[in-house]
């Protein structure tokens, strides 16, 4: 598109847009008539700054520019930060005309909007003129919220001089920008409040602000803002901005904060009293107004303490940075249990939180994994069962509390109590005719909640933890640059594996075609291993498939404390683990115990609750808080898996701890490219027992596998495990290609002595 920056004008209309091409097109069409009929031959221009890295607005602006007579400039910016976008608009438009008028991209101006706005600027001799932004609500909006005071600005003002302004509908004399050095503070570009600071700086520099009620713009209120929660968060954010401004005041160091604290106390008290009075009278709108007033007072205190809040990411944040938000949608929190899939999810969350991103864990049910927690920096949970107060999150649903307490007690009970509970659960599953649950599709209510939560978050990336967490129909907020799937395995392969073993599964009709259909919702898929990646690429050819194996950062177990003859099995109570250890105890262990007297087997994990009577040499350790001592004492790790799919965390964990391992072809899935192999492979009972006995008797053979394990462990270090996904996120603009990752230093990846996956 032609660059029109050299074209002078009398008035330039500026718009910053972000992923709203349809609304932008409606706005531009509405401008056409009034721009073409400006009086006295006034020269006009339009500048559109596209704040999306995908440049959705370019084709809209190009088509518009081709059919109008005045110059139209398209500025690709792609920062996603509204303050940065507004600064790009100042840079592109301020020097082109003595007057700049601005609208938000989701607004529609009245027919005489520009004439009223610019006319008031000259008539009143003002430096800045603001016009009202009047809310329009969907027809099914709640009755209590459908009143202008909640979303319109301002409320009932008369024409004249004012001390406040807003960025959604204003005009200014552009000479102010250079004279006062005005810029939008990009540290507030995610949380909001950058316009409050901008106009306050202008006012403190001597600029006079005038309100023109005839310069009307209309704004449709999106559904994600039709809630009391949004209104309270918005008011809290407004309060924090006021507190931050007073806290940062260079003069009257204590005077301004002290006055702000008194104002905060007044707003808190008056808002609280109004809320109580309205609640007693049953006046919901008035109740909301009182709570909003109190929330703004509370925000003032937060701002004075140096905190602000992101309207789209719950919890307090440091205003000095505005990292991208990555949302992870999961059926349960990664802390709920210690099974392999939970470890994989926990590693994902930890990886991107440690790199400086905001990670929002959206838990579709009540299994958060905690009852009360203080969110660590950069990580926050969402769940229908959760509430957040002052950065502390707690489970508020009685059913969820009871469920999590029962699970917590079960995991920490002695086996003598766990066993009868598990037998009851097994009978109930048998009565229902289900041996293994692949996953459960979300209900309509859950789908709506996930969609609403993502709309409120406005993340730059969304990753669904298995396809069973995707809402129906799939939703993709406008802010999302990439929508991804964390694939722990190829689900249809797992289904076939269990069917082949004679187990009934749920959903019973799950197939490869079902999985392929759901995979079309994603443009990024993380496969847990290389064989899965090839399969997923064939099922979803349009998606970008990367390999992200389980990431484990553990110290290799010291080998000076090894107990001769000790074997180790680690597993959750999942069906395939129960099946595996029972097979080993029945078919292999008698041979191992006979041929290598003094052998013992430690079984660790919730799988112990599902086992019957075991031989004396088999020690059921249950769930342990720290596995390192078990790995340090074991001579050999076993993984005798008979069914399943994906990548087996127990095998990867034994590799990372530097143990020699005996496993089956199922247990070694996805690890065939390792060369030399850090494990012995055996599927038949005799061969499996032979492999265990050989490693127990032959220290040289065991050390050979231990050395191979130490080399292969580098593959599962976080930096290497996530290298492909990091590169993908850089390609879509979430991780900057230049300057490296947020919160980390660039470092070369280790060269591994492994064969490249085919």
């Amino acid at each position: 598109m032609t660059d029109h920056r050299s074209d002078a004008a009398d008035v330039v209309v500026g718009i910053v847009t972000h992923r709203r091409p349809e609304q932008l097109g409606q706005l531009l069409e509405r401008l056409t008539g009034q721009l073409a009929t400006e009086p006295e031959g006034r020269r006009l221009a339009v500048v559109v700054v596209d704040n999306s890295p995908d440049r959705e607005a370019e084709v809209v602006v190009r088509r518009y520019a081709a059919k109008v007579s005045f110059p139209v400039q398209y500025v690709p910016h792609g920062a996603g930060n509204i303050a940065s976008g507004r600064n790009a608009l100042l840079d592109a438009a301020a020097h082109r005309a003595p007057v700049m008028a601005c609208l938000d991209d989701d607004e529609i101006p009245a027919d005489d909007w520009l004439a009223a706005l610019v006319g008031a600027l000259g008539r009143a001799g003002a430096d800045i003129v603001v016009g009202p932004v009047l809310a329009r609500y969907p027809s099914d909006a709640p009755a209590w919220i459908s009143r202008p005071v909640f979303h319109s600005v301002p409320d009932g003002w008369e024409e004249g001089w004012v001390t406040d302004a807003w960025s959604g509908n204003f005009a200014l004399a552009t000479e102010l920008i250079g004279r006062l050095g005005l810029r939008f503070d990009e540290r507030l570009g995610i949380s909001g409040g950058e316009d409050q600071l901008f106009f306050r700086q202008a006012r403190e520099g001597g600029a006079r602000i005038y309100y023109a009620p005839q310069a009307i713009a209309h704004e449709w209120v999106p559904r994600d803002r039709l809630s009391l929660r949004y209104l309270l968060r918005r008011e809290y954010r407004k309060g924090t901005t006021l507190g931050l401004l007073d806290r940062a005041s260079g003069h009257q160091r204590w005077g301004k904060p002290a006055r702000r604290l008194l104002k905060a106390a007044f707003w808190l008290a008056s808002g609280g009293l109004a809320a109580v009075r309205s609640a007693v009278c049953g006046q919901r709108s008035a109740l909301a107004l009182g709570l909003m007033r109190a929330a703004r007072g509370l925000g003032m205190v937060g701002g004075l303490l140096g905190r602000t809040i992101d309207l789209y990411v719950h919890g307090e944040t440091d205003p000095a940075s505005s990292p991208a938000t990555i949302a992870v949608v999961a059926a349960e929190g990664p802390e709920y249990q210690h099974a392999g899939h939970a470890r994989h999810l926990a590693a994902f969350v930890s990886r991107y939180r440690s790199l400086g991103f905001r990670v929002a864990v959206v838990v579709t049910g009540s299994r958060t994994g905690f009852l009360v927690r203080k969110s660590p920096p950069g990580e926050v949970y969402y769940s229908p069962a959760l509430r957040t107060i002052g950065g502390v999150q707690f489970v508020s649903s009685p059913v969820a509390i009871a469920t999590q307490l029962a699970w917590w007690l079960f995991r920490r009970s002695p086996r003598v109590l766990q066993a009868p509970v598990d037998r009851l659960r097994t009978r109930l599953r048998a009565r229902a005719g289900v041996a293994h649950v692949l996953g459960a599709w979300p209900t309509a209510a859950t789908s709506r909640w996930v969609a609403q939560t993502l709309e409120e978050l406005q993340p730059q990336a969304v990753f669904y933890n298995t396809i069973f967490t995707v809402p129906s129909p799939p939703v993709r907020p406008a802010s999302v640059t990439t929508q991804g799937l964390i694939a722990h395995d190829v689900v249809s392969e797992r289904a076939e594996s269990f069917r082949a073993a004679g187990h009934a599964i749920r959903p019973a009709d799950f197939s490869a075609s079902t999985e392929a259909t759901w995979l079309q919702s994603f443009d990024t898929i993380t496969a847990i291993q290389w064989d899965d990646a090839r399969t997923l690429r064939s099922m979803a050819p349009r998606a970008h498939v990367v390999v992200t194996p389980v990431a484990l950062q553990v110290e290799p177990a010291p080998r000076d404390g090894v107990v001769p003859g000790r074997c180790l099995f680690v597993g959750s109570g999942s069906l395939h683990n129960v099946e595996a250890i029972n097979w080993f105890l029945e078919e292999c262990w008698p041979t191992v115990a006979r041929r290598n007297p003094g052998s013992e087997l430690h079984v660790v994990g919730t799988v112990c609750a599902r086992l019957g009577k075991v031989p004396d040499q088999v020690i059921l350790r249950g769930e342990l808080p720290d596995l390192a001592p078990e790995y340090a004492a074991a001579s050999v790790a076993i993984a005798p898996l008979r069914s399943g799919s994906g990548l087996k965390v127990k095998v990867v964990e034994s590799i990372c701890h530097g143990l020699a391992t005996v496993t089956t072809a199922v247990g070694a899935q996805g690890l065939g490219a390792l060369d030399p192999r850090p494990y012995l492979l055996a599927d038949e009972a005799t061969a499996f027992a032979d492999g265990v006995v050989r490693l127990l008797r032959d220290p040289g053979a065991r050390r050979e596998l231990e050395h191979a394990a130490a080399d292969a462990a580098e593959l599962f270090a976080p930096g290497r495990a996530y290298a492909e996904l990091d590169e993908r996120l850089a390609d879509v603009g979430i991780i900057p290609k230049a300057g490296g990752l947020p919160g980390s230093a660039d470092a070369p990846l280790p060269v591994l002595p492994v064969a490249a996956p085919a």
Side-chain angles (χ1 to χ4, degrees):
M1 180 176 296
T2 303
D3 188 346
H4 294 285
R5 276 181 280 188
S6 61
D7 296 343
D10 298 305
V11 178
V12 60
V13 177
I15 303 164
V16 179
T17 186
H18 183 262
R19 300 190 186 281
R20 288 173 174 161
E22 292 184 6
Q23 290 168 289
L24 175 65
Q26 295 171 5
L27 167 58
L28 292 173
E29 291 299 329
R30 191 61 177 266
L31 283 174
T32 303
Q34 52 189 292
L35 294 180
T37 58
E38 275 292 290
E40 304 173 3
R42 184 181 290 155
R43 296 172 299 168
L44 301 172
V46 173
V47 175
V48 178
V49 173
D50 190 349
N51 218 12
S52 166
D54 293 334
R55 302 173 65 156
E56 295 94 340
E58 183 172 11
V59 65
V60 176
V61 179
R62 187 185 300 278
R63 290 172 181 168
Y64 181 71
K67 62 182 182 180
V68 296
S69 58
F70 44 83
V72 178
Q73 180 186 351
Y74 172 79
V75 180
H77 187 58
N81 178 305
I82 184 59
S84 177
R86 295 195 198 284
N87 285 333
L89 180 61
L90 296 183
D91 295 337
H95 68 281
R96 294 188 54 184
V99 174
M100 180 176 69
C102 293
L103 282 168
D104 283 348
D105 62 349
D106 58 348
E107 295 174 356
I108 297 295
D111 291 338
D112 58 349
W113 164 76
L114 187 61
L117 200 64
V118 178
L121 193 69
R123 184 177 67 254
D127 300 295
I128 300 171
V129 173
V130 290
V133 180
L134 304 182
R136 291 182 176 179
Y137 293 93
S139 59
D140 58 347
W144 69 269
I145 206 171
S146 299
R147 44 183 293 179
V149 70
F150 286 124
H151 295 91
S152 297
V153 289
D155 176 28
W157 287 9
E158 296 183 357
E159 181 172 356
W161 298 104
V162 294
T163 58
D164 200 5
W166 42 90
S167 57
N169 180 8
F170 76 96
L172 58 70
T174 55
E175 59 88 18
L176 281 177
I177 298 170
R179 177 162 58 87
L180 301 181
L182 296 178
R183 302 291 287 178
F184 290 92
D185 192 331
E186 296 182 12
R187 295 174 299 174
L188 301 177
I190 299 295
S191 65
E194 80 291 341
D195 52 349
Q196 285 179 274
L197 177 56
F198 180 88
F199 290 114
R200 178 166 175 169
Q201 290 173 331
R203 190 176 68 249
E204 291 179 348
R208 300 198 305 164
I209 305 174
Y210 193 83
Y211 173 62
Q214 303 86 2
I216 298 171
H218 296 277
E219 178 183 30
W220 281 104
V221 180
R223 296 183 185 279
D224 61 294
R225 299 184 183 181
L226 300 178
S227 68
L228 179 60
R229 180 171 66 172
Y230 171 81
L231 294 173
L232 295 181
R233 292 179 61 75
R234 186 190 67 185
E235 293 305 307
Y236 181 90
R237 191 271 300 160
K238 289 181 178 179
T240 59
T241 302
L242 294 171
L244 282 167
L245 294 177
D246 287 339
R247 183 175 187 264
S249 178
H251 59 286
Q252 296 180 323
R253 183 175 180 183
W254 297 109
K256 282 193 174 185
R259 287 196 298 271
R260 179 60 62 190
L261 192 60
L262 290 175
K263 288 182 180 179
F266 174 75
W267 280 64
L268 272 167
S270 61
L273 289 173
V276 171
R277 182 174 62 250
S278 304
V280 172
C281 298
Q283 299 171 335
R284 190 169 183 185
S285 293
L287 171 63
L289 286 173
L291 292 175
M292 289 164 62
R293 188 175 182 85
R296 186 177 292 201
L298 188 63
M300 294 177 189
V301 177
L304 289 171
L305 295 175
R307 309 298 294 177
T308 187
I309 194 167
D310 190 329
L311 269 179
Y312 303 110
V313 179
H314 295 220
E316 294 183 344
T317 59
D318 182 349
S321 62
S322 53
T325 297
I326 297 177
V328 181
V329 183
E332 62 185 35
E335 300 169 354
Y336 187 73
Q337 56 179 308
H338 294 158
H341 65 274
R343 301 284 298 278
H344 189 34
L345 177 60
F348 184 99
V349 173
S350 176
R351 167 66 177 175
Y352 291 103
R353 181 170 67 85
S354 69
L355 292 180
F357 293 95
R358 293 189 180 101
V359 180
V361 182
V362 180
V363 181
T364 60
S366 59
R367 297 180 296 183
T368 57
F370 59 86
L371 293 179
V372 180
R373 80 195 291 258
K374 175 74 173 178
S375 297
E379 179 182 320
V380 65
Y381 278 58
Y382 296 80
S383 166
L386 276 181
R387 296 293 180 270
T388 303
I389 297 180
V392 176
Q393 296 193 289
F394 60 93
V395 178
S396 59
S397 163
V399 174
I401 292 172
T403 300
Q404 297 206 49
L405 283 175
W407 176 237
W408 185 88
L409 288 171
F410 174 79
R411 289 168 58 187
R412 286 157 180 80
S413 298
R415 181 172 172 270
V416 67
L417 297 179
Q418 288 181 340
V421 173
D422 187 74
R423 285 195 294 269
L424 175 61
R425 293 167 58 193
T426 301
R427 284 197 296 269
L428 292 175
R429 283 193 294 265
R431 185 177 301 173
V434 177
H436 177 75
V437 178
L438 300 172
W441 300 113
T443 64
T446 299
S447 293
R448 288 193 297 271
W449 178 83
V450 170
Q452 179 182 354
T453 302
L454 292 178
E455 286 294 338
E456 292 178 2
L457 279 169
Q458 291 291 292
Q460 284 68 53
V462 175
F463 283 87
Y464 290 93
N465 190 51
T466 83
I467 60 175
F468 291 104
T469 59
V470 182
S472 180
V475 60
R476 183 178 181 129
S479 62
V480 171
T481 301
T482 187
Q483 182 149 287
L485 171 70
I486 302 174
H488 299 258
D489 61 0
V490 179
V491 185
S492 55
E493 289 186 353
R494 174 157 46 106
E496 288 304 317
S497 174
F498 280 110
R499 288 192 188 106
H503 300 304
I505 63 170
R506 180 185 292 170
D509 59 347
F510 194 90
S511 65
S513 61
T514 303
E515 186 168 18
T517 298
W518 280 97
L519 290 176
Q520 309 315 308
S521 303
F522 306 104
D523 49 67
T524 300
I525 298 175
T526 71
I528 200 169
Q529 41 105 326
W530 295 270
D531 293 337
D532 282 1
R534 284 193 292 269
T535 303
L536 291 168
R537 288 187 185 107
S538 67
M539 299 175 77
R542 291 183 295 179
H544 191 101
V545 180
V546 298
V547 177
T548 305
V550 175
L552 296 175
Q553 193 73 62
V554 298
E555 291 294 327
R559 308 312 294 153
D560 53 357
V562 171
V563 177
R566 180 178 293 183
C567 303
L568 175 65
F569 176 84
V570 178
S572 69
S574 298
L575 175 62
H576 60 284
N577 288 325
V578 177
E579 179 186 61
I581 191 61
N582 278 328
W583 176 81
F584 180 79
L585 291 175
E586 294 172 7
E587 303 293 335
C588 305
W589 181 248
T591 301
V592 174
R594 185 184 72 253
R595 294 175 56 189
N596 194 65
S599 298
E600 66 176 5
L601 170 64
H602 278 211
V603 181
V604 179
T606 52
V607 68
C608 295
R610 304 195 64 183
L611 300 181
K613 183 175 176 57
V614 297
D616 292 340
Q617 307 98 320
V618 178
I619 312 300
L620 303 181
R621 300 280 285 142
E623 190 172 19
L624 300 176
D626 184 10
L627 293 176
E630 290 291 336
Y631 280 109
S635 294
V636 176
I638 62 167
L641 296 160
R642 318 300 296 165
S643 59
S645 58
L647 186 66
K648 308 306 179 293
V649 175
K650 62 178 59 60
V651 177
V652 173
E653 194 165 57
S654 64
I655 290 173
C656 291
H657 277 286
L659 262 70
T661 304
V662 184
T663 188
T664 61
V666 172
Q669 281 177 329
L671 299 176
L674 296 179
D675 185 18
R677 290 179 177 177
Y679 54 82
L680 293 182
L681 199 62
D683 284 317
E684 298 302 322
T686 301
F688 201 100
D690 287 345
V692 174
V693 171
R694 176 191 169 196
L695 293 180
L696 291 177
R697 289 180 170 180
D698 186 347
R702 191 169 64 245
R703 281 194 296 271
E704 186 177 338
L705 290 184
E706 289 171 352
H707 291 321
D711 291 337
E714 296 184 49
L715 181 65
F716 305 101
R720 181 61 185 264
Y722 284 91
E724 290 188 24
L725 183 55
D726 289 346
E727 184 178 353
R728 169 61 176 166
L729 294 179
D731 288 342
V732 298
I734 295 176
I735 290 177
K737 289 189 176 182
L741 296 165
S744 72
D746 291 328
L749 295 173
V751 178
L752 301 181
V754 298

